[in-house]
Amino acid sequence: MLAVAERNPAGVLGVLNFDGGYHSMVKPGEACGPDRLISTAAALGRSARVPALWLYAENDQSYGPELARQMYAAYTAGGAPARLQILPPFGTDGHDLITMAAAGTWLPVVAPFLGEFKLPTAVVIDLPEPAPLPPPPGLSPGCQKQFAGYAAYRSDAKAFAINDKGGCGSAAGRTAVEARENAVAECPNRGTACHVYAVGQRLVEN
């Protein structure tokens, strides 16, 4: 998002930066070169003139508040218009806030920012709660917990895969097709094939 803002594209009124950064694929939860993140933020901030709102959770395990403040200071030092909001801790890792927390956790901070650009934030049509998904039979205890989290996450671009030995895999994606592929890839294939059980809030007929 910050790289997009740096280009100042026509028609973009503002940017929301939810716990942005880049972290290690080898050591989960460890930021890749904090000094380089700060210097990159500084470089982007020298050109960006699109207003931005930065949101980081107090217990973000990838980019903690101190690193977020350092990146923010470097970004705004170049003249980029931005505000930083450190949100309260969420779960065991605040980096999951945007994907796992209820919108009410962050929307009160985001709504005024959107309102400055006359963008709608109020509910126009209150969508009904989706019908509860029945859990697959025979899931392992770990997969039972994983399915409960899957069912609670509101998205159409998510999928849950299972195998015949109680194993499972769940994933989100940019599209429902990508989510299906990711879920099957996450499902352990130990002598039994995995298949997609649900996509979004709907069961898949096999």
Side-chain angles (χ1 to χ4, degrees):
M1 294 299 98
L2 299 182
V4 169
E6 188 261 347
R7 301 175 184 177
N8 300 303
V12 174
L13 302 178
V15 170
L16 292 172
N17 168 25
F18 282 96
D19 51 50
Y22 198 84
H23 60 275
S24 173
M25 298 293 104
V26 178
K27 297 180 179 179
E30 182 176 308
C32 275
D35 290 343
R36 295 187 66 182
L37 285 174
I38 294 168
S39 64
T40 299
L44 295 174
R46 285 193 285 270
S47 300
R49 293 299 179 265
V50 178
L53 176 62
W54 292 31
L55 300 106
Y56 291 79
E58 185 71 39
N59 65 331
D60 191 313
Q61 300 302 308
S62 297
Y63 319 107
E66 184 56 33
L67 177 56
R69 291 186 181 99
Q70 291 176 5
M71 289 192 293
Y72 171 76
Y75 184 75
T76 54
R83 278 170 272 171
L84 172 65
Q85 179 71 46
I86 303 297
L87 298 172
F90 172 74
T92 58
D93 184 356
H95 197 66
D96 296 329
L97 182 139
I98 184 57
T99 56
M100 301 301 293
T105 306
W106 47 264
L107 188 57
V109 177
V110 171
F113 178 74
L114 299 179
E116 294 175 16
F117 309 112
K118 304 296 189 281
L119 297 173
T121 57
V123 174
V124 177
I125 300 175
D126 195 5
L127 297 177
E129 287 293 322
L133 283 173
L139 284 182
S140 67
C143 283
Q144 291 177 17
K145 182 178 180 180
Q146 191 170 339
F147 184 78
Y150 171 87
Y153 176 43
R154 294 287 295 271
S155 174
D156 290 330
K158 66 174 184 177
F160 195 87
I162 59 174
N163 62 31
D164 293 336
K165 295 185 177 180
C168 66
S170 64
R174 290 167 293 185
T175 65
V177 172
E178 184 179 82
R180 291 174 67 113
E181 294 171 350
N182 292 344
V184 171
E186 290 292 324
C187 180
N189 190 348
R190 298 171 182 167
T192 179
C194 292
H195 62 274
V196 177
Y197 176 77
V199 174
Q201 293 297 124
R202 301 183 304 277
L203 298 182
V204 174
E205 296 183 4
N206 292 295

